[in-house]
Amino acid sequence: VELRARTDFHLLTPICGADGSQLRQYLTVGGDERTSGVVDANLDIGRAGARIGSAGERGGLRDLGEVMAGSPAGSTPLTEAVSTVVQLIEPAAQSLRMAGQRVVVVLSTDGMPDDPASFLSVMQKLQALPVRCVVRLCTASADLLDYWNLLEQQLGDFEMEVIEDGKAWQVHRHNSWVTYGQPLQAVHELGLSHPLIDRLADRRLTPSEIHQLCELLFGCQLPDPHLDSFAFVEALERELLSAPHVFSPVKLKAVPWVNLEELGRFLSPKCLERMLSAWSLDSIVKCLA
């Protein structure tokens, strides 16, 4: 909303309010406010004038809050939901490609499609469009995770990512020095992509990649750890003093973005030894003072 980026919310089934009344199933928030909130209104996106229709009315945060406060009911008609999205994007596909733009489609679900065969077919139609797809699983079911991962494989080179709640643990397994906080999770959930963030859950980052990621996180220039790893850690420590803590899904509490001791281990034994010596000396000085 703050970025004034258009976001269309498509609920799988109509939501019922507390009084039993049926609320809106489709809602468009943000974007070009010059357009009216009429069903199927064309909304401008992008410099090239690509126009994507809207399935529902325009609304604000209050409208969205009312809809999200309702209770879902019924089955999981994902095929119909994705088919609606395909029909809205198809007319604008060529304009989007000419502008070098894509639509991010986020599927948030705790189940699997009512009809997996027809769902695969409609996902293949979505695959043919300039789209990046994110599947946000709201469940810990291993069977459902297996289904969505298999679907990802069946779609081949489709730019699709399946996200579940275990992402933080995957990152911790490979890069325990960094806290996988909500902002990093949001990058994935919003369909954004950055090579360094994408690699966190796949493998251990190299010192050069750690350097680049820290500069990205803190928005500053830091010494090159290849030239002086201790100077890099010292500069990073100063940045951490003014940076707010972030909640860690692994430790279940707010912690700094970077665990400096773990980082020292990642960089080199010599760097860690120098860090521990400096911290010990600092503690002695404070005690004497």
Side-chain angles (χ1 to χ4, degrees):
V1 174
E2 292 181 0
L3 296 176
R4 299 177 63 83
R6 171 186 166 183
T7 304
D8 290 27
F9 294 87
H10 290 204
L11 306 182
L12 289 181
T13 57
I15 296 294
C16 294
D19 59 356
S21 61
Q22 184 170 302
L23 302 176
R24 284 181 284 189
Q25 185 175 356
Y26 306 103
L27 184 66
T28 296
V29 177
D32 189 351
E33 296 182 356
R34 294 172 301 172
T35 53
S36 62
V38 180
V39 174
D40 292 329
N42 286 327
L43 303 180
D44 286 326
I45 66 168
R47 297 181 302 274
R51 301 173 72 86
I52 296 181
S54 174
E57 298 179 352
R58 176 178 295 281
L61 289 180
R62 177 179 294 180
D63 301 305
L64 181 60
E66 290 177 356
V67 171
M68 292 303 177
S71 301
S75 57
T76 311
L78 280 168
T79 299
E80 293 80 356
V82 174
S83 180
T84 298
V85 173
V86 168
Q87 292 171 24
L88 292 172
I89 298 175
E90 272 182 333
Q94 184 175 354
S95 297
L96 287 167
R97 291 190 180 97
M98 290 177 62
Q101 295 176 323
R102 293 177 300 175
V103 176
V104 175
V105 177
V106 181
L107 303 178
S108 296
T109 181
D110 62 355
M112 60 185 294
D114 293 339
D115 184 354
S118 64
F119 183 67
L120 173 60
S121 177
V122 77
M123 286 297 290
Q124 289 169 335
K125 293 180 180 179
L126 186 69
Q127 181 181 18
L129 300 173
V131 162
R132 175 178 172 82
C133 183
V134 176
V135 178
R136 179 62 174 97
L137 292 183
C138 307
T139 176
S141 168
D143 290 340
L144 288 174
L145 181 58
D146 288 343
Y147 165 77
W148 286 101
N149 284 332
L150 177 60
L151 178 66
E152 186 177 7
Q153 295 174 16
Q154 290 175 322
L155 292 172
D157 59 356
F158 184 31
E159 197 165 353
M160 171 178 166
E161 181 177 13
V162 178
I163 301 176
E164 36 87 24
D165 290 336
K167 191 83 171 181
W169 284 100
Q170 295 171 16
V171 171
H172 186 74
R173 187 179 305 118
H174 296 288
N175 294 281
S176 56
W177 59 272
V178 67
T179 301
Y180 187 75
Q182 178 57 32
L184 292 181
Q185 175 80 348
V187 168
H188 289 287
E189 292 182 354
L190 294 175
L192 304 176
S193 179
H194 191 286
L196 292 175
I197 298 176
D198 293 344
R199 293 171 195 153
L200 279 173
D202 297 330
R203 62 167 174 80
R204 178 175 177 144
L205 295 191
T206 66
S208 293
E209 291 171 332
I210 291 174
H211 178 228
Q212 295 172 46
L213 180 61
C214 288
E215 288 190 333
L216 178 67
L217 288 176
F218 296 101
C220 65
Q221 289 189 330
L222 297 167
D224 188 340
H226 282 295
L227 300 178
D228 190 337
S229 57
F230 185 69
F232 168 66
V233 172
E234 278 192 318
L236 190 56
E237 185 176 20
R238 289 192 293 271
E239 292 297 328
L240 285 170
L241 291 176
S242 58
H245 286 194
V246 63
F247 182 80
S248 167
V250 174
K251 298 182 179 179
L252 299 179
K253 63 179 181 179
V255 297
W257 272 104
V258 174
N259 183 318
L260 293 176
E261 187 172 343
E262 283 292 314
L263 179 60
R265 290 192 178 93
F266 267 71
L267 294 175
S268 72
K270 185 176 180 180
C271 177
L272 178 61
E273 181 181 351
R274 191 174 173 187
M275 287 168 56
L276 295 177
S277 297
W279 289 342
S280 297
L281 179 60
D282 184 55
S283 297
I284 293 173
V285 171
K286 287 181 179 178
C287 289
L288 292 176

